[in-house]
Amino acid sequence: MDIDFEHSLSLGGNIWKFASYREDAAERIAALYGLPAAVAAVVAARGIGIGEVDDFLYPKMQNLMPDPFCLKDMEKAALRIAGAVERGERVAVIGDYDVDGATSSSLLKLFLHSVGCEAPVHIPEREEGYGPSKTAVDEFAALGTNLLITTDCGTTAFEVLEYAKNKGMDVIVLDHHEAETRLPDICAVVNPKRLDESDEYPCLKYLAAVGVVFLTVVAVNRELRKRGFYQNRPAPDLMKWLDLVALGTVCDVVPLLGLNRAFVRQGLKVMSLRQNCGLKALADKASLSEAPTSYHLGFVLGPRINAGGRLLCATDDFQAAMLADRLDGFNALRKEIEAYVLLQAIEILEGTPQPYPIAFVYGHDWHQGVIGIVAGKLKERYGLPAFVMSVENDEVKGSARSVPGLNIGALVMAAKEKGLLTKGGGHNMAAGFSLEEKNLEAFRRFAGEYAERALGKEKIVPTLEIDGVIGLSAATPEFADKLSLLEPFGAGNPEPRLMLGGVRIIRSDIVGSGHVRCVLGSFAGGSLKAMAFRAADSEVGKALLNHRGEPFNLAGTLRKDTWMGRTQVQFVIEDAMRG
């Protein structure tokens, strides 16, 4: 039976869209780099030109990292920080409470400590809201702070930064969130998304805040070396902190392209050495014994580390183990709260007609620590931009996650400029914001109409992007090795989703918490293990369990499966169509 994949709904309710690419480009890539045709096709489909393939497959920092001073205000920032270190001034740091904020502030604190400058860090409680606060400024003013540095926040915090300036502090912002036409009147604003930034190095606009901080550390280190600061003391090894850069980059869901690929690839190597005792303790708590991948950063370590900056700066194994134990307990509680809020949000959305192509939902006293995660899950469930908000004492704090085609950070900035939001910041795919409860419905209309203009009025049908088609016989450990050259996977470079065409189910059963385990076969022979996680009650799972020998086309990912010293492969099933 011929199937019109792009006009047929799958068992999972999706339309399958196959990646397009130039066959001649894929053939050249395959020949030059010794790649299977299907892997070369993925590279070509992701817009990697022939001249860029080497940097994509083998990203190296020396090839991809520009001179940090190419960023506006970087020289001002580096000179001011280096001067503060030399003169022994009091320096303080304000970060953000997500993983990017925690890694950014930890990286800066560790560097400053290595050059003899002890900088206290303020990470706001979620109730305090996004960005620097007057409370934090007062706290540091009482300590006699001369230089205040904000990481992963501050670009639009005009009032608070002016307040800090009036308290006698010089202020530097190290950020990556969307900027307005005006900037704070302070010492330096280092942000690759400044509207007056050059487009000479487009990869810099993809940086997470921790990447911006790393570039700043490189610049300050260079300035200190130039001044002879290291004549009588050892210079720090900056590369040892790339594990933090990798963690913040993956968890902030910025595109893993260009310099970010080099940061994460090198950072994973550093993390595998387990030199950061905080990350080591957290990995032990999560029973992570294998070499870490971007998956482990985003889904195993990241969720446990929100607001965990103290852990990342831990100096001994005992302190790290205690902090990791506390964070693990918080993570277990968070999962319970998250499940409760998610269920309430789904009931609201599915019980009320939605006039716009967005998932917009709020609740009284929803825990602010889970709204970002819930927004991400709603986005995945409905294929729509999602806004999730917690209302407490007439104040609303929200988090948003977007889909391709809608810059959610720009939406939030536009709403802030219109006076609908009191605070806000973000980037293409994620944003945080605050507003007054009376403006909720006005913000819903604004966000809905903005999304409608960007995405169109028609109901969005979930689409599953298929990167390539392989036969069962091609699903080998050797093929999986070649696929792994495309790592690290994440935003902007997702793990390749493949279609196995015309397979049959030899055997299937339910294991664990509703997982469907299968053995796949084909009419040409051979077999392959497969798993559909948490699928037993879904249409896909039911079809796999009651297959009646009919052929299927399966969409999913190919993973290595190492057990008892043997390396095999397993297909992780995401969706299915009857063949």
Side-chain angles (χ1 to χ4, degrees):
M1 170 173 74
D2 290 330
I3 301 172
D4 183 2
F5 288 103
E6 299 199 12
H7 295 90
S8 301
L9 280 183
S10 69
L11 291 169
N14 301 297
I15 286 176
W16 290 6
K17 183 178 180 182
F18 291 79
S20 60
Y21 60 92
R22 285 182 50 188
E23 291 186 15
D24 60 332
E27 288 170 2
R28 285 190 65 195
I29 292 169
L32 286 171
Y33 292 92
L35 299 177
V39 177
V42 175
V43 176
R46 295 192 175 174
I48 310 300
I50 296 292
E52 303 169 313
V53 174
D54 204 55
D55 281 339
F56 182 78
L57 296 179
Y58 311 104
K60 296 185 175 118
M61 288 180 57
Q62 61 263 39
N63 297 338
L64 293 166
M65 186 163 161
D67 186 331
F69 290 101
C70 72
L71 286 170
K72 290 189 181 298
D73 278 6
M74 181 63 86
E75 185 174 8
K76 291 180 185 176
L79 291 173
R80 182 64 186 89
I81 296 171
V85 169
E86 270 194 325
R87 294 186 290 272
E89 294 182 49
R90 290 186 179 273
V91 181
V93 179
I94 296 178
D96 190 23
Y97 43 65
D98 66 2
V99 180
D100 191 21
T103 52
S104 297
S105 53
S106 297
L107 169 58
L108 187 56
K109 179 181 176 66
L110 288 168
F111 169 73
L112 291 172
H113 171 76
S114 75
V115 293
C117 178
E118 299 303 329
V121 174
H122 179 91
I123 300 289
E125 297 292 332
R126 290 184 181 271
E127 293 74 19
E128 196 176 323
Y130 169 77
S133 66
K134 290 183 179 179
T135 301
V137 171
D138 287 338
E139 176 186 316
F140 289 139
L143 297 174
T145 298
N146 308 110
L147 175 61
L148 177 65
I149 306 173
T150 71
T151 63
D152 196 29
C153 59
T155 298
T156 60
F158 303 102
E159 183 182 350
V160 175
L161 298 189
E162 182 69 23
Y163 180 76
K165 186 178 170 183
N166 291 336
K167 289 276 186 179
M169 301 180 200
D170 283 340
V171 182
I172 293 172
V173 167
L174 306 178
D175 197 6
H176 75 132
H177 289 98
E178 299 288 340
E180 296 182 11
T181 50
R182 66 180 181 124
L183 295 170
D185 182 19
I186 55 175
C187 178
V189 177
V190 182
N191 183 340
K193 288 186 180 169
R194 283 176 52 156
L195 298 181
D196 59 347
E197 266 295 353
S198 163
D199 291 328
E200 185 177 357
Y201 300 101
C203 70
L204 295 183
K205 296 190 186 299
Y206 300 147
L207 291 180
V210 71
V212 177
V213 171
F214 185 79
L215 288 182
T216 306
V217 164
V218 170
V220 175
N221 193 57
R222 183 186 300 176
E223 179 60 27
L224 288 172
R225 190 182 301 280
K226 180 179 170 183
R227 297 181 183 197
F229 184 79
Y230 298 124
Q231 285 182 350
N232 300 311
R233 63 186 301 156
D237 175 14
L238 307 187
M239 300 294 280
K240 71 181 179 182
W241 294 314
L242 283 172
D243 50 3
L244 297 179
V245 181
L247 180 61
T249 297
V250 170
C251 290
D252 214 47
V253 204
V254 292
L256 295 188
L257 301 170
L259 181 56
N260 282 345
R261 285 184 64 73
F263 278 157
V264 176
R265 182 77 69 90
Q266 185 62 37
L268 287 169
K269 292 178 184 176
V270 173
M271 191 176 291
S272 68
L273 300 175
R274 296 165 71 86
Q275 294 173 325
N276 183 302
C277 58
L279 287 177
K280 176 178 176 293
L282 206 63
D284 289 343
K285 199 69 187 173
S287 301
L288 175 57
S289 56
E290 60 192 291
T293 66
S294 55
Y295 169 83
H296 296 115
L297 301 190
F299 296 99
V300 178
L301 300 180
R304 287 174 162 81
I305 213 166
N306 272 315
R310 284 181 60 205
L311 174 68
L312 301 179
C313 296
T315 55
D316 64 76
D317 290 340
F318 178 76
Q319 179 195 27
M322 293 287 288
L323 289 168
D325 193 57
R326 287 183 61 198
L327 285 174
D328 196 61
F330 291 151
N331 187 55
L333 178 60
R334 175 194 60 76
K335 286 182 177 178
E336 293 180 15
I337 297 170
E338 172 198 319
Y340 167 76
V341 173
L342 178 62
L343 181 60
Q344 283 204 322
I346 290 171
E347 288 178 351
I348 292 169
L349 289 169
E350 296 185 356
T352 310
Q354 301 299 312
Y356 302 107
I358 59 174
F360 189 99
V361 63
Y362 54 87
H364 287 267
D365 299 321
W366 283 358
H367 196 290
Q368 294 168 14
V370 303
I371 57 176
I373 298 169
V374 171
K377 294 197 170 182
L378 293 177
K379 179 202 79 168
E380 295 299 327
R381 181 182 179 95
Y382 300 111
L384 297 170
F387 299 77
V388 180
M389 289 146 284
S390 172
V391 183
E392 295 182 21
N393 300 321
D394 296 330
E395 185 179 21
V396 182
K397 292 189 172 68
S399 190
R401 298 294 182 269
S402 195
V403 297
L406 175 66
N407 183 331
I408 205 77
L411 184 157
V412 164
M413 293 305 301
K416 184 170 178 286
E417 290 181 358
K418 197 173 176 64
L420 296 172
L421 304 178
T422 54
K423 283 186 178 181
H427 47 79
N428 279 18
M429 302 305 287
F433 53 90
S434 302
L435 68 155
E436 296 178 11
E437 186 174 4
K438 67 180 182 181
N439 286 331
L440 269 169
E441 290 309 310
F443 179 51
R444 184 203 298 268
R445 285 194 303 275
F446 178 87
E449 290 169 1
Y450 193 107
E452 209 169 62
R453 288 192 297 273
L455 301 172
K457 293 185 178 181
E458 293 184 19
K459 180 184 176 183
I460 298 177
V461 177
T463 299
L464 208 65
E465 302 280 345
I466 307 291
D467 292 289
V469 180
I470 62 171
L472 196 71
S473 61
T476 63
E478 294 74 24
F479 181 80
D481 281 335
K482 294 295 186 181
L483 268 182
S484 69
L485 289 173
L486 278 57
E487 293 186 9
F489 299 129
N493 183 46
E495 186 173 4
R497 184 181 289 116
L498 305 171
M499 186 186 93
L500 282 175
V503 299
R504 58 192 180 91
I505 314 299
I506 297 175
R507 186 169 62 251
S508 61
D509 60 354
I510 298 175
V511 295
S513 303
H515 311 313
V516 177
R517 177 176 60 185
C518 307
V519 175
L520 309 178
S522 74
F523 296 105
S527 65
L528 176 67
K529 293 192 299 183
M531 185 78 78
F533 291 102
R534 296 175 295 277
D537 292 330
S538 71
E539 292 303 314
V540 172
K542 291 173 185 176
L544 296 174
L545 291 167
N546 303 288
H547 52 83
R548 298 188 301 275
E550 61 188 322
F552 282 90
N553 298 294
L554 302 178
T557 53
L558 192 67
R559 306 263 175 87
K560 280 191 188 178
D561 181 21
T562 302
W563 177 252
M564 300 294 287
R566 294 181 60 202
T567 299
Q568 300 176 303
V569 288
Q570 174 177 267
F571 194 73
V572 178
I573 301 169
E574 295 181 56
D575 202 355
M577 281 193 185
R578 289 188 170 89

